[in-house]
Amino acid sequence: MKNCFICYVLLCCAVLTFVTSLGVNILVNQLTKLGPNGNYTLGDSVDFSKILGLDYGDRNPILRDAYDFIVVGAGPAGCVVANRLTENPNVNVLLLELGRAEIPIVQDIPAAFLYQPSTDYNFGYLTEPQREACLGLMEKRCAWHHGRGLGGSTIINNMIYTRGNFRDYDMWNASGNPGWSYADVLPYFLKSENANLKEFQSNGFHRKGGYLSVEDADFLTSIAPAFVESAKQAGFKYIDYNSKDQLGVSYFQHNTKNSVRVTSARAFLKPIAERKNLHILTRAWVTKVLFDESTKTAIGVEYTRNKQRFTARATREVILSAGAFGSAKLLMLSGVGPKLDLENLDIKVIHELPVGETLYEHPGVIGPVFIVRNPKDNIVNIHDFDSIPALLKYFLLKDGPLSSPLTEAVAYVKSPYSPKEDPEWPDVEIIQVGIQLGDDASPGAQNYFRVNDSILSSYFKPLFNTRAFMFLPLLMHSRTKGSLKLKSTNPYNHPLFKYQYFEDDRDAKALAYGIQVAINITRQKPFVDMGVELYAVKLPGCESFQFDTFEYWE
C-alpha cells in the first residue's frame, strides 16, 4: 500500500508539473504581446521568480560603496566571469542583470524549448522587414531570439552545445586579438565542462569535473540514427563536431543534466550562491557606463531598479557581457561609437570607434520536409510528447520524448559558395529535427519561427497526422553584412537593425546547395527502408519553378 501511495503521489506531481510547465507556456503564448522593449507576458505583472525562481543567494544584498568588478549581463559569459572572479575571496563582484531568475519548473523540460521564446525571458528582437528573405513569416520579419534573465539565451535556447570551428579562433587571434587562438581557449572549454558522452569522452576534447554539464540526448526519434547512417553512406565522416574535425556528421551534444536543461546560471551561479564576495541584482537595467573622461577609463555604471536610478562604482574594471546587441547598444549610449551617429543623437562622444558597424547573421531555412511511410517509432505529432506514457517516462525516469530538445543530429557541409578557401572549413550546417513545424497544436512552434498563418495552414498543418520530419540548414559564413544603430537615447528601446538577408546572393545559393545535400542524404538506404520521401507540395510563391531543382530551392 505504501508503494502504491508513493506512485500515486509521484504521478500527481508529474501531471501537475507538466500542466504547470507546458500549460503555463501555452497560456503565456496567448498572453504575449511584442512591444518596443520585448515580449510582454503574464510574468511582467506577476513575478513568479520570487517564489519559484533559481536560488542564487541573497536577492537583496546590502550593496558596497564600490566593487572591484562590475559585470553587466548574466548570460553565458557573465555567469562564468562572475564565478571565476569570485574564486578569489579578496575580490568582490557586482553582477547586474536586467531580467530575472529562471523558473526551473517551467524551463526544465527540454522538449518545451519551443515555448520559451514566447515569454518575457526573450528580448523579442525582430529584423526590419525583409526584401529577399522571411517572406513566409509574419510581416516579413525574422525573429532574433535573445535571452534575458539569469542564464541569458541558455534559458530559451534548444540546449545544443557547440564550440565553433577552431579556425575561427585562430583567425581572431591572427587579426589582432592575442590569447584567442584555439590552443589558448581549449583549456578553458575543458575546465568548464563536465562531460558525460557515450563515444567521445576520452578523445582529448572533453573532460569531467567542470560546472557545465554536457551529455548525449537520452531519447532520440528513429529519424536521428537513420540520418546519421544515411549521411555516412553519402560520404560523410562520423565526427565529434566539438573536436578539431568538423566536416562530417554527428549526434548533437546538449547542455542538459539527466535530461534537465542546464542554463549558465544553474551551472555557474547556483553552486556558488553562498559566496559573500558576489552580489547579484536582477531587474537591474544598466543604462550607461560611466567614464573618467581624462583617462577614458570606465569607473562605474548607472542602472535602474524598482523604478529608481542608482550608480555603482568599480575600482578595477567594468565588464560588458550584455550580449552582442546589448553591449554594443550600451557602449553607444555611453559615448563610445561612430562619432557622427552619436552627435546626431546629442550624445557626448567619449571615444570614436566603429561599434555596431559589423553585423553578420546566420540565415536558415525551415525545411525541406519529408514524409515517413514506414515509421519505426510511434511519434506522429506533439501529442505523442505529452501522452501519459511520455509523461511517466520523463517525470519518473527522465527519459522519453519530453527529454528530447527535438534537434537531434547535424551534418557539416562545405559549399562551393563559401568565402573560406580552406576545403575542410564547412560553411553550412544541416540540423535534423525529429518532427516538423506543423506538428505543434499550440502556437509555440509558429511563434518560435514566426511563420504566417497562410504558410502554416497550407504547407505544414496538412501533415499534422502524418509522420514527418524536417531539416534546418543554416549558413555559418554569411557574406551579407549589416549594422546596428541606436533608435534614440532611450536606453529601453531596442536597437535599430540595418540588415537585409541575401544582399549577396551567394548566401542563398549556399543554402540551396545545403538543401540538395540534405535531400541526397535521405536517398540513402536507411531512409529508403523507412519509406522516406520528399514532401512534394510547392511552397506558395515558388509555383513557377520546377520542383526540386536548384533554382526552386534557391
Side-chain angles (χ1 to χ4, degrees), residues 174-363:
S175 63
N177 296 279
W180 278 95
S181 72
Y182 188 72
D184 288 322
V185 301
L186 180 60
Y188 294 98
F189 280 123
L190 296 177
K191 178 181 179 181
S192 290
E193 188 177 279
N194 184 30
N196 183 23
L197 301 170
K198 298 180 182 73
E199 296 177 291
F200 302 116
Q201 187 73 29
S202 304
N203 64 359
F205 291 92
H206 299 281
R207 189 173 296 171
K208 282 187 173 292
Y211 286 102
L212 185 63
S213 176
V214 178
E215 65 182 14
D216 301 303
D218 282 330
F219 176 88
L220 295 170
T221 69
S222 61
I223 306 300
F227 172 73
V228 170
E229 291 305 312
S230 292
K232 288 161 66 175
Q233 291 188 16
F236 285 79
K237 183 166 58 173
Y238 186 62
I239 59 165
D240 173 4
Y241 65 91
N242 278 320
S243 69
K244 294 183 73 172
D245 195 0
Q246 207 177 58
L247 202 63
V249 67
S250 186
Y251 294 102
F252 272 128
Q253 298 162 20
H254 298 284
N255 287 133
T256 55
K257 185 175 183 180
N258 299 322
S259 297
V260 171
R261 176 192 291 272
V262 174
T263 67
S264 58
R266 185 176 296 198
F268 291 94
L269 295 184
K270 185 174 174 57
I272 62 168
E274 300 305 315
R275 285 185 187 171
K276 303 303 181 183
N277 59 338
L278 173 61
H279 288 164
I280 301 172
L281 286 187
T282 57
R283 300 289 196 181
W285 193 309
V286 176
T287 57
K288 189 176 183 179
V289 178
L290 302 174
F291 288 94
D292 178 333
E293 294 183 25
S294 63
T295 62
K296 297 185 179 181
T297 301
I299 58 173
V301 298
E302 288 182 357
Y303 67 94
T304 59
R305 190 172 191 248
N306 297 328
K307 299 182 179 180
Q308 299 181 65
R309 186 173 298 276
F310 302 92
T311 297
R313 297 283 174 176
T315 59
R316 293 176 66 173
E317 289 183 23
V318 174
I319 299 169
L320 295 189
S321 55
F325 302 145
S327 294
K329 186 184 83 169
L330 188 54
L331 281 173
M332 290 187 282
L333 287 169
S334 308
V336 178
K339 181 179 180 181
L340 183 60
D341 289 350
L342 300 183
E343 290 177 342
N344 287 339
L345 291 171
D346 293 324
I347 297 174
K348 184 176 182 180
V349 179
I350 301 297
H351 192 73
E352 183 176 11
L353 282 176
V355 176
E357 292 298 298
T358 303
L359 171 61
Y360 291 103
E361 167 59 347
H362 305 287

Side-chain angles (χ1 to χ4, degrees), residues 75-226:
C79 290
V80 175
V81 169
N83 179 303
R84 299 307 188 193
L85 286 173
T86 54
E87 287 177 350
N88 180 350
N90 298 316
V91 166
N92 53 72
V93 175
L94 176 63
L95 176 61
L96 299 171
E97 168 54 46
L98 64 86
R100 53 198 169 95
E102 66 175 279
I103 301 176
I105 196 172
V106 175
Q107 287 140 350
D108 276 355
I109 306 171
F113 84 90
L114 279 173
Y115 309 106
Q116 308 305 339
S118 294
T119 71
D120 64 337
Y121 286 93
N122 180 19
F123 274 99
Y125 291 133
L126 297 178
T127 67
E128 59 186 334
Q130 297 291 301
R131 296 186 294 270
E132 302 293 336
C134 313
L135 303 184
L137 307 188
M138 302 172 192
E139 304 163 346
K140 298 181 181 180
R141 302 174 77 182
C142 279
W144 282 357
H145 300 317
H146 208 72
R148 61 182 183 185
L150 293 182
S153 291
T154 62
I155 301 174
I156 67 172
N157 68 7
N158 57 343
M159 295 147 280
I160 294 172
Y161 176 66
T162 177
R163 301 170 181 167
N165 193 283
F166 77 90
R167 297 168 181 84
D168 288 304
Y169 297 95
D170 289 345
M171 181 182 66
W172 297 338
N173 184 76
S175 63
N177 296 279
W180 278 95
S181 72
Y182 188 72
D184 288 322
V185 301
L186 180 60
Y188 294 98
F189 280 123
L190 296 177
K191 178 181 179 181
S192 290
E193 188 177 279
N194 184 30
N196 183 23
L197 301 170
K198 298 180 182 73
E199 296 177 291
F200 302 116
Q201 187 73 29
S202 304
N203 64 359
F205 291 92
H206 299 281
R207 189 173 296 171
K208 282 187 173 292
Y211 286 102
L212 185 63
S213 176
V214 178
E215 65 182 14
D216 301 303
D218 282 330
F219 176 88
L220 295 170
T221 69
S222 61
I223 306 300

Side-chain angles (χ1 to χ4, degrees), residues 1-13 396:
M1 289 294 291
K2 183 179 179 180
N3 289 337
C4 291
F5 177 75
I6 292 172
C7 290
Y8 175 78
V9 171
L10 288 172
L11 177 59
C12 290
C13 290
L396 298 179

Side-chain angles (χ1 to χ4, degrees), residues 53-68:
L54 177 78
D55 177 17
Y56 53 90
D58 188 353
R59 294 175 184 241
N60 289 289
I62 299 174
L63 299 182
R64 303 172 187 270
D65 293 332
Y67 289 83
D68 294 307

